[in-house]
Structures are given as structure tokens and as C-alpha cells.
């Protein structure tokens, strides 16, 4: 293997990145994704009837893996939206538990059940993240109580199990938290804080944006957003 001597240029298109968008149900996550250029939805909840989108209904883990196999062969889409990753995880869990012949992870000795579910999900998702498309995962949010030495506060996180959430947030390039402000505006927070997850490996995005993909794209390109 010959090692490189020159720097690789930074990727400057959104469909080169992996994104997590999480927030409360019905806040507009699917609508945000539907505004993406040439997006293909892997719909795990059968909840896109009000949107004009290109989608595959995913009803089980086998459906998902089959769709990913087809995507690997090539597709005209630029983005793949997995809506939601929470439901997808539960499909994976059900598949693994059925294969192991148990009803709950704890029914398998020595933590094998938990390990098998995590291994199956992360192994397949690593392959998904290597596909030549932009990947966006939507997820529900929940509030958890966080205690520090000096304070107690609520933090918005995903509803994924902790280990899976850590895998997803550690793998994606951009983490967006959607919420409704007191004045009714729907926004996405990019910067991380003690109150929510966030992150931006590209370094291109402001800390807060309107919950609108077109504005998100403009900000990514360095343009001026409209509040």
C-alpha cells in the first residue's frame, strides 16, 4: 500500500455526509427530509402518506437488508432517509430475538442477547454508512434527567438504547435536534449543549437554523439564511 503525501480536499456536498435528525413526533422531520434532492425513503413506520416522496415500505429487518443490497448495486438517489431509525432498531431486535429463540435479551446467558442485537444492528449500519449516498436518520426524542455535582436538568436525547445512540452519534457527521421554541418557531440546533445532543464535523453550520432543508442547504454552502 502506497501512503498518500497530499491532503485530500474536504467534501463540499451535503450528500457526502451522514446526518442524524431527532425531535418530537410530528415536528416536521420527515418533511425536512422530503425536501432533499433525489431522496429515497426507507419508511419503517408507514407514515409518509401526506408527502410526495420516493419510498420503500420497510416492515421488517429482512426488508431493510434487502433494500440495502439493492442500493449497493446502484440507484439514482442522492440521499437515503431512514425514517425512523428507532423503529428500524426494534425490527432488528425482533429479528435477532426470534433467531435466538428468546423473548427478551436477558433470557440469553452472560449478556449474549444484548450483545447479539447490538452486533447485528451496528454491523449492518456500518455497511449502510459506506454506501455512496448521503444518509439521514430520523429519530424520536425524549427527555432524561441529568444530575451533576451542582445541578439537575433535563436533556433531550434519542429514544434509542444508550449503546445504540452512542454508536449512531459517534458515526454520523452532523447531529440536529429539532424543537419548537416558545414563540412557535420550529428550529434545528446544531451545536451541542447540556440540554441536547448536537454536532457538526463540517464546521460549516451555525448553532441554530430554521427547520427547513432549503435554509439548511443554504447555510451549509455559506449563504445567508432567512429567520
Amino acid at each position: 500500500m502506497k501512503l498518500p503525501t497530499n491532503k485530500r480536499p474536504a467534501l463540499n456536498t451535503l450528500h457526502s455526509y451522514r446526518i442524524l435528525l431527532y425531535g418530537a413526533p410530528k415536528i416536521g422531520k420527515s418533511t425536512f427530509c422530503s425536501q432533499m434532492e433525489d431522496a429515497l425513503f426507507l419508511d419503517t413506520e408507514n407514515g409518509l402518506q401526506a408527502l410526495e416522496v420516493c419510498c420503500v415500505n420497510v416492515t421488517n429487518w429482512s426488508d431493510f437488508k434487502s433494500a440495502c443490497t439493492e442500493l449497493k448495486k446502484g440507484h439514482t438517489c442522492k440521499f437515503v432517509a431512514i425514517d425512523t431509525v428507532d423503529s428500524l432498531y426494534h425490527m432488528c431486535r425482533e429479528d435477532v430475538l426470534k433467531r435466538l429463540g428468546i423473548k427478551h435479551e436477558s433470557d440469553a446467558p452472560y449478556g449474549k442477547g444484548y450483545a447479539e442485537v447490538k452486533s447485528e444492528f451496528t454491523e449492518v449500519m456500518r455497511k449502510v454508512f459506506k454506501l455512496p449516498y448521503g444518509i439521514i436518520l430520523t429519530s424520536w426524542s425524549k427527555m432524561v434527567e441529568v444530575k451533576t455535582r451542582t445541578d439537575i436538568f433535563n436533556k433531550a436525547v434519542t429514544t434509542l438504547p444508550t449503546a445504540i445512540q452512542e454508536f449512531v452519534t459517534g458515526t454520523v457527521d452532523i447531529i440536529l435536534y429539532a424543537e419548537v421554541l416558545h414563540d412557535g418557531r420550529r428550529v434545528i440546533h446544531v451545536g451541542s449543549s447540556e440540554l441536547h445532543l448536537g454536532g457538526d464535523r463540517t464546521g460549516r453550520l451555525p448553532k441554530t437554523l430554521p427547520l427547513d432543508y432549503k435554509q439548511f442547504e443554504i447555510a451549509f454552502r455559506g449563504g445567508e439564511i432567512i429567520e
Side-chain angles (χ1 to χ4, degrees):
M1 178 188 294
K2 186 176 180 180
L3 300 179
T5 57
N6 297 319
K7 292 182 180 180
R8 184 185 68 183
L11 302 175
N12 58 9
T13 56
L14 272 172
H15 58 261
S16 300
Y17 292 98
R18 300 160 293 193
I19 303 169
L20 169 66
L21 170 61
Y22 79 106
K26 308 296 188 294
I27 196 172
K29 301 183 296 294
S30 299
T31 300
F32 179 94
C33 297
S34 71
Q35 297 167 348
M36 291 178 152
E37 182 181 6
D38 298 325
L40 171 67
F41 277 78
L42 300 184
D43 178 16
T44 65
E45 297 189 1
N46 193 28
L48 300 175
Q49 292 88 343
L51 296 173
E52 185 176 344
V53 294
C54 179
C55 72
V56 176
N57 289 325
V58 175
T59 61
N60 54 56
W61 188 237
S62 179
D63 282 351
F64 178 73
K65 292 197 291 185
S66 295
C68 292
T69 297
E70 292 303 310
L71 281 167
K72 188 175 181 180
K73 295 177 183 178
H75 195 276
T76 58
C77 68
K78 291 186 178 180
F79 289 95
V80 175
I82 300 175
D83 189 24
T84 66
V85 68
D86 312 67
S87 291
L88 180 66
Y89 169 77
H90 289 298
M91 291 177 185
C92 173
R93 176 178 179 269
E94 290 174 3
D95 186 83
V96 173
L97 295 184
K98 183 177 180 180
R99 172 163 51 84
L100 294 177
I102 58 179
K103 294 184 177 180
H104 191 273
E105 291 91 334
S106 60
D107 295 336
Y110 310 112
K112 180 181 178 181
Y114 294 99
E116 286 285 334
V117 173
K118 180 183 177 182
S119 176
E120 172 72 9
F121 186 81
T122 56
E123 181 180 343
V124 172
M125 289 306 296
R126 284 192 178 97
K127 294 177 181 178
V128 171
F129 287 138
K130 291 180 180 178
L131 292 172
Y133 315 100
I135 305 293
I136 181 163
L137 314 176
T138 69
S139 179
W140 303 313
S141 63
K142 67 178 181 180
M143 304 303 293
V144 297
E145 187 175 83
V146 178
K147 296 181 180 180
T148 67
R149 293 178 59 187
T150 59
D151 198 6
I152 300 176
F153 55 89
N154 290 322
K155 182 172 185 175
V157 299
T158 74
T159 60
L160 292 167
T162 300
I164 301 301
Q165 176 178 268
E166 290 175 351
F167 162 72
V168 170
T169 57
T171 306
V172 298
D173 304 298
I174 301 171
I175 302 171
L176 308 173
Y177 170 54
E179 74 165 342
V180 181
L181 300 181
H182 295 300
D183 60 7
R185 287 183 298 142
R186 298 188 179 196
V187 300
I188 45 177
H189 299 291
V190 183
S192 184
S193 81
E194 64 179 11
L195 301 180
H196 58 260
L197 305 172
D200 173 25
R201 286 181 180 153
T202 73
R204 292 168 173 256
L205 300 167
K207 289 185 177 181
T208 302
L209 286 159
L211 180 56
D212 179 272
Y213 179 72
K214 298 302 181 183
Q215 295 297 312
F216 177 76
E217 186 177 38
I218 289 170
F220 177 83
R221 293 177 176 175
E224 185 176 352
I225 62 173
I226 300 173
E227 296 291 345

